[in-house]
Amino acid sequence: MRRVGTGEWRGWREATEEALYGPSGFYRGPEGPAGHFRTSVHASPLFAAAVARLLCRVDEALGRPAELAFVDMAAGRGELVTGVLAALPAEVASRARGYAVERADRPAVLDHRIEWLNRPPKGITGLLFANEWLDNVPVEVAEVDATGVPRLVLVRDDDGAERLGEPVGGAEAEWLRRWWPLASEEVPFPGAPSEEMFSDDVPCEGMPFEGARAEIGLPRDTAWAGAVASLDRGLAVAVDYAHFAAARPPFGTLTGFREGRETAPVPDGSCDITAHVALDACALPGGRVVTQRAALRALGVSGARPALSLAATDPTAYVRALAGAGEAAELTATGGLGDFGWLLQPVGIPNPMIDGLLADDPPADDPPADRLLADGLLVDVPDHEEQ
């Protein structure tokens, strides 16, 4: 266990940055993310194969350029970029160039053809893929105090204890107003509620309530915009557990993970610190959010069982297909990885390519989620958030 706590009170953004990425931070450890939690990349090689098919579609939309880039953001130990390059057809692989973007040191066993960087390369043409990156971009946390004012939450970095700090202001307050309101229209933001609001004659619906929390996603919006800007032409994809404006969680989502188990978020370097992503806020003009279930099914990943007749003619192939169906089911499961959001952001290529990619109707046993249309962003709301 790596301890970097000092007993200092700091905002969650600064404390998390040090705890995750500082010299003794969580992500500097030799075991990497796979040692503590299971992502789609680690769940099945079907995921990398599907991303490889997406890269081929981007290649076609770009007119088959002489050099086709694949950028793996928050690459961990390079598992995804390695799998994607290995799954490409020979002709595409001959033109593909892989980049792994990660703050940790380069693994000694990584293919020498993969370039290891601490930030995305500039001016590339191809696919930038960020699987569970944005949830680890540190953010401030806001909480409503007893007077209805949203304040920054301070955390003690050696034990995770919290207290309230200054009122949220400036660009962070503007972000909350736009994307995650914690104050009603009747209350100045920040500011004190009027006494009339607490009278028995005034309804309480829409009032801020003490203890309501939000993660201020402005740094994630900025980080995503910067990553997208690194593309000259192509597609940027962010995959993460997400929430949307119609159903923000009232107490936020900040939590920790260690050795495969959820734990209290203590910013001492001993655990991962993460929070769900407001992908609708991250999206730039032309962006579209769909569920991982819809995206992977459109890319050929299905959890359908193989025909029993195959067991009689080729038992080995049947067992292999059955195992693959189980892995596909995990990647597309309702209430699990299938509910993740995929933010698709085309750059210099027409939107019809993206629409065509995801135009397939879902199977009859998976009714389409309700859709929200706001500011030109089409959102497929995860099934568990439809209400």
Side-chain angles (χ1 to χ4, degrees):
M1 181 178 294
R2 300 173 299 280
R3 308 283 303 187
V4 298
T6 63
E8 180 183 358
W9 291 93
R10 295 186 284 181
W12 267 108
R13 183 182 181 188
E14 180 185 350
T16 301
E17 178 71 26
E18 177 68 19
L20 296 184
Y21 307 114
S24 301
F26 178 79
Y27 280 108
R28 301 291 188 180
E31 68 275 15
H36 293 272
F37 44 84
R38 181 180 175 88
T39 72
S40 296
V41 177
H42 309 117
S44 170
L46 293 176
F47 188 79
V51 176
R53 287 192 287 274
L54 178 57
L55 179 57
C56 289
R57 298 197 183 201
V58 172
D59 182 44
E60 293 178 6
L62 291 167
R64 302 183 183 278
E67 182 173 295
L68 179 68
F70 177 73
V71 181
D72 181 7
M73 295 292 297
R77 296 302 176 264
E79 298 95 335
L80 180 59
V81 63
T82 299
V84 168
L85 295 180
L88 290 174
E91 193 281 325
V92 180
S94 67
R95 295 182 285 108
R97 183 172 181 180
Y99 299 89
V101 180
E102 179 58 67
R103 297 199 194 187
D105 295 336
R106 179 189 181 99
V109 297
L110 188 69
D111 189 324
H112 70 276
R113 294 171 296 180
I114 298 172
E115 190 167 350
W116 192 265
L117 305 170
N118 61 11
R119 62 187 62 190
K122 298 294 185 182
I124 61 167
T125 297
L127 174 61
L128 180 144
F129 202 90
N131 185 64
E132 295 196 42
W133 167 48
L134 290 174
D135 66 278
N136 284 131
V137 173
V139 294
E140 296 289 6
V141 177
E143 182 176 320
V144 177
D145 69 10
T147 66
V149 177
R151 294 180 176 273
L152 293 175
V153 177
L154 305 181
V155 60
R156 193 164 56 198
D157 59 13
D158 58 355
D159 61 3
E162 294 182 336
R163 70 184 186 192
L164 297 186
E166 295 297 315
V168 180
E172 293 174 333
E174 289 296 329
W175 190 93
L176 283 179
R177 283 194 193 96
R178 173 67 180 87
W179 294 108
W180 199 332
L182 288 179
S184 67
E185 294 181 359
E186 292 84 357
V187 182
F189 183 90
S194 62
E195 293 181 0
E196 290 79 7
M197 288 188 65
F198 293 97
S199 70
D200 294 335
D201 298 327
V202 177
C204 294
E205 183 177 355
M207 285 176 52
F209 61 91
E210 184 178 2
R213 288 168 68 111
E215 292 97 32
I216 304 173
L218 183 60
R220 294 170 173 179
D221 299 356
T222 303
W224 178 243
V228 173
S230 70
L231 279 172
D232 183 39
R233 294 175 63 231
L235 178 68
V237 181
V239 180
D240 240 307
Y241 32 89
H243 48 64
F244 304 97
R248 303 284 189 222
F251 300 105
T253 61
L254 186 73
T255 191
F257 284 94
R258 182 191 301 118
E259 297 177 351
R261 296 181 180 274
E262 190 169 7
T263 185
V266 179
D268 63 356
S270 67
C271 66
D272 183 29
I273 298 174
T274 178
H276 288 45
V277 182
L279 279 181
D280 48 349
C282 294
L284 301 169
R288 179 175 180 177
V289 180
V290 299
T291 63
Q292 173 157 298
R293 182 166 47 256
L296 289 184
R297 285 179 176 174
L299 290 166
V301 177
S302 170
R305 292 172 59 93
L308 285 175
S309 58
L310 181 62
T313 59
D314 192 339
T316 301
Y318 176 78
V319 171
R320 188 183 305 114
L322 193 63
E327 293 174 1
E330 179 181 0
L331 291 172
T332 59
T334 299
L337 294 173
D339 289 345
F340 275 39
W342 281 42
L343 170 55
L344 304 163
Q345 195 78 54
V347 178
I349 55 177
N351 275 328
M353 189 280 292
I354 305 303
D355 294 338
L357 173 64
L358 300 170
D360 297 339
D361 291 331
D365 63 349
D366 186 24
D370 291 343
R371 296 190 175 198
L372 305 174
L373 186 60
D375 298 331
L377 172 65
L378 184 63
V379 177
D380 286 358
V381 180
D383 295 346
H384 68 283
E385 293 183 355
E386 287 182 13
Q387 298 303 320

